[in-house]
């Protein structure tokens, strides 16, 4: 049980200091215990959260000393083919993945000369009763054909990978003064702006204005530009609309050189319904990453809702948090739309006009546990990171340290 204390060590009020929360302290304690249970379930008390959240190092397409290795999780699949420029976009047994365990993990190893930088590829996902093209869940580069508007994964293995100038940058100690921007829409020109144009034309003004933190919208790849980046299809791919991964890294490096921290909007509250580009019906089922039945759809947003109770989904999302920190040296995240995550009713139709609304059974404890896990992971990987929760419900204690629960 939570024991009432007046102040924490840094003189911050505790949840138990709010007399209106007194009737709900047991429920708050239960949520904390659920978080501990989920964490222990994921790590099995044998590894830490950082080690668990390393799916991006295993899944997807990787090149090693012997060649290429590609791995995907698709438990309902009966066969998976890698298709692309190298196979004339046809199913070829030379590119048939092998099922390596009972959990639905598939893998293929290929000689180094099979794929080259810039090749386009997809998966031909087969299941009982059907087969369709899919973009790999961990694809790091996704591009759109200008003529057909179709999205496809792209092999990204440049001869000269980007070399960070400030790989060990630490954000300013003072409170963040944030400039929020959309790379594509921040320019004065007509059309979609680029990472390089933002670095050259917009960043200097942000620096001159005295900001110390840059918050970027719409970085995760999304099929509909008008969504402002909030209907994500490819969670590990920096949007190719704005340029290459190297150009995005160059923008982050330039901000770091000027003393600015860089954070991005992280959309883990839902996902686009698109099936070829996104995760919906990825392996022939609608419940691989999302809730089964009506709960898996967000009618107001026309999108899919993650099942935060599945370890495989938590593995995907937590690895996604770590990926952006590891690969792009980001300094934190603004978690978008978490009100929708935290409540079974998505925050719709509730005025949140009393504390009872936060403890009436409408809260998704699994989603709340995921947010706590993500916050712990991020600060473990990047001490001093910024994490912002975009919540419009006013959930009591949402930003309180775990030790104060």
């Amino acid at each position: 049980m939570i024991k009432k204390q007046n102040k924490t060590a840094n003189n911050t009020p505790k949840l138990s200091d709010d007399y209106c929360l007194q009737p709900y302290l047991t429920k708050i304690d239960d949520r904390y215990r659920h978080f501990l249970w989920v964490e222990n379930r994921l790590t099995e008390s044998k590894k830490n959260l950082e080690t668990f959240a390393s799916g991006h190092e295993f899944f997807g397409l990787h090149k090693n000393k012997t060649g290429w290795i590609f791995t995907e999780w698709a438990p309902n699949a009966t066969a998976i083919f890698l298709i692309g420029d190298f196979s004339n976009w046809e199913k070829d047994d030379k590119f048939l993945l092998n099922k390596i365990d009972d959990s639905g993990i598939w893998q293929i190893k290929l000689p180094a000369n099979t794929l080259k930088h810039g090749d386009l590829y997809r998966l031909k996902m087969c299941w009982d009763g059907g087969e369709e093209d899919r973009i790999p869940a961990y694809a790091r580069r996704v591009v759109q054909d200008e003529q057909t508007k179709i999205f496809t994964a792209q092999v990204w293995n440049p001869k000269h990978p980007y070399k960070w100038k400030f790989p060990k940058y630490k954000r300013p100690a003072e409170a963040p003064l944030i400039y929020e921007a959309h790379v594509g829409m921040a320019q004065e020109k007509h059309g979609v702006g680029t990472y390089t144009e933002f670095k050259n034309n917009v960043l200097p003004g942000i620096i001159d204005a005295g900001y110390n933190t840059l918050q970027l919208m719409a970085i995760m790849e999304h099929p509909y530009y008008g969504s402002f980046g909030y209907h994500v299809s490819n969670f590990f791919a920096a949007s190719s609309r704005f340029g290459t991964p190297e150009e995005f890294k160059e923008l982050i490096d330039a901000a770091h050189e000027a003393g600015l921290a860089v954070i991005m909007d992280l959309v883990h509250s839902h996902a686009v319904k698109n099936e070829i580009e996104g995760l919906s019906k990825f392996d022939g089922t609608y419940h691989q990453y999302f809730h089964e039945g009506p709960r898996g759809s967000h009618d107001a947003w026309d999108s899919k809702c993650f099942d935060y109770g599945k370890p495989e989904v938590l593995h995907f999302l937590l690895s996604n948090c770590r990926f952006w920190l590891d690969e792009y040296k980001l300094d934190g995240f603004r978690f978008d739309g978490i009100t929708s995550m935290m409540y079974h009713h998505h925050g719709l139709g509730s005025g949140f006009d009393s504390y009872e609304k936060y403890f009436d059974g409408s809260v998704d404890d699994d989603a709340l546990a995921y947010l706590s896990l993500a916050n712990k992971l991020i600060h473990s990987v990047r001490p001093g990171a910024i994490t912002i929760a975009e919540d419009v419900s006013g959930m009591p204690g949402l930003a309180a340290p775990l030790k104060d629960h």
Side-chain angles (χ1 to χ4, degrees):
M1 289 292 295
I2 297 175
K3 296 181 180 179
K4 184 171 181 179
Q5 299 176 11
N6 291 328
K7 300 288 181 180
T8 58
N10 62 358
N11 209 36
T12 303
K14 294 177 66 70
L15 294 178
S16 52
D17 291 331
D18 186 341
Y19 73 91
C20 292
L21 280 177
Q22 292 296 322
Y24 309 108
L25 292 182
T26 299
K27 290 189 176 182
I28 293 174
D29 189 57
D30 288 343
R31 290 174 182 173
Y32 176 62
R33 291 180 186 279
H34 183 63
F35 153 75
L36 294 176
W37 178 83
V38 173
E39 181 180 28
N40 187 65
R41 181 189 184 193
L42 299 181
T43 61
E44 297 177 336
S45 300
K46 299 176 184 177
K47 55 189 175 217
N48 58 32
L49 203 55
E50 289 184 50
T51 303
F52 174 79
S54 57
H56 54 293
E57 298 173 0
F58 177 71
F59 289 105
L61 182 65
H62 299 275
K63 191 173 185 182
N64 54 32
K65 294 180 180 179
T66 60
W68 296 93
I69 182 168
F70 176 84
T71 312
E72 190 66 78
W73 174 60
N76 188 59
T78 55
I80 305 176
F81 293 85
L82 203 62
I83 62 173
D85 297 331
F86 44 85
S87 71
N88 199 29
W89 293 97
E90 298 291 337
K91 291 191 298 185
D92 186 328
D93 286 347
K94 290 187 298 185
F95 301 101
L96 177 64
L97 276 67
N98 299 305
K99 192 173 184 180
I100 64 174
D101 71 8
D102 294 335
S103 69
I105 296 178
W106 300 73
Q107 192 173 84
I108 187 171
K109 297 178 181 179
L110 298 167
N113 62 358
T114 309
L115 307 175
K116 65 181 185 301
H117 176 66
D119 279 351
L120 301 179
Y121 71 101
R122 286 186 186 171
L123 302 176
K124 180 67 74 174
M125 187 76 67
C126 307
W127 55 83
D128 288 336
E131 60 178 50
E132 293 179 9
D133 285 6
R134 294 289 182 263
I135 291 179
Y138 285 78
R140 298 190 180 196
R141 173 74 172 170
V142 176
V143 295
Q144 185 179 29
D145 185 276
E146 292 184 4
Q147 302 300 321
T148 65
K149 304 302 181 185
I150 293 174
F151 285 86
T152 310
Q154 186 177 43
V155 177
W156 201 254
N157 184 46
K159 184 178 294 185
H160 302 291
Y162 186 78
K163 293 184 178 180
W164 291 95
K165 298 176 182 177
F166 302 93
K168 297 182 179 180
Y169 167 83
K170 293 183 179 180
R171 75 175 186 88
E174 62 266 23
L177 182 59
I178 300 173
Y179 188 96
E180 181 182 15
H182 185 292
V183 169
M185 302 181 188
Q187 328 280 330
E188 293 185 4
K189 73 166 192 177
H190 293 287
V192 179
T194 67
Y195 298 122
T196 300
E197 289 171 334
F198 190 96
K199 178 189 64 122
N200 294 337
N201 304 330
V202 181
L203 186 60
I206 298 171
I207 296 167
D208 290 344
Y211 291 93
N212 63 17
T213 306
L214 172 62
Q215 177 188 329
L216 295 175
M217 305 162 61
I219 296 301
M220 305 164 84
E221 192 60 88
H222 49 287
Y224 178 48
Y225 189 61
S227 76
F228 280 77
Y230 295 122
H231 276 65
V232 173
S233 52
N234 312 107
F235 287 77
F236 290 82
S239 182
S240 61
R241 285 186 180 88
F242 313 137
T244 67
E246 284 69 36
E247 289 165 343
F248 182 39
K249 291 175 181 179
E250 192 173 11
L251 165 58
I252 295 170
D253 233 355
H256 284 169
E257 182 178 15
L260 271 72
V262 183
I263 65 175
M264 65 175 249
D265 283 9
L266 198 69
V267 185
H268 285 178
S269 49
H270 64 139
V272 73
K273 289 172 67 175
N274 299 40
E275 294 176 1
I276 293 178
E277 300 96 342
L279 297 174
S280 183
K281 202 183 175 185
F282 187 76
D283 68 350
T285 66
Y286 289 103
H287 56 269
Q288 181 185 356
Y289 286 94
F290 310 110
H291 286 290
E292 192 169 6
R295 191 179 173 193
S297 296
H298 195 309
D299 294 335
W301 289 356
D302 193 33
S303 57
K304 301 296 293 182
C305 300
F306 285 107
D307 182 351
Y308 304 102
K310 293 181 72 171
E312 297 87 352
V313 174
L314 295 179
H315 189 219
F316 178 82
L317 295 175
L318 289 170
S319 297
N320 191 235
C321 293
R322 181 166 184 182
F323 166 77
W324 291 101
L325 298 174
D326 289 350
E327 182 69 16
Y328 289 100
K329 311 298 182 187
L330 288 167
D331 304 294
F333 306 101
R334 170 191 173 272
F335 281 77
D336 178 75
I338 70 161
T339 306
S340 178
M341 294 173 62
M342 292 192 300
Y343 302 93
H344 297 300
H345 52 58
H346 305 304
L348 303 174
S350 177
F352 298 104
D353 51 1
S354 70
Y355 275 15
E356 183 182 359
K357 299 292 179 66
Y358 307 111
F359 305 98
D360 61 0
S362 64
V363 171
D364 184 339
D365 288 340
D366 288 327
L368 209 56
Y370 164 67
L371 290 169
S372 298
L373 287 165
N375 197 46
K376 180 176 180 178
L377 168 71
I378 291 163
H379 287 93
S380 176
V381 173
R382 187 66 49 82
I386 299 170
T387 49
I388 300 171
E390 192 241 346
D391 171 38
V392 298
S393 76
M395 168 68 78
L398 180 62
L402 283 170
K403 62 182 178 60
D404 293 344
H405 285 69

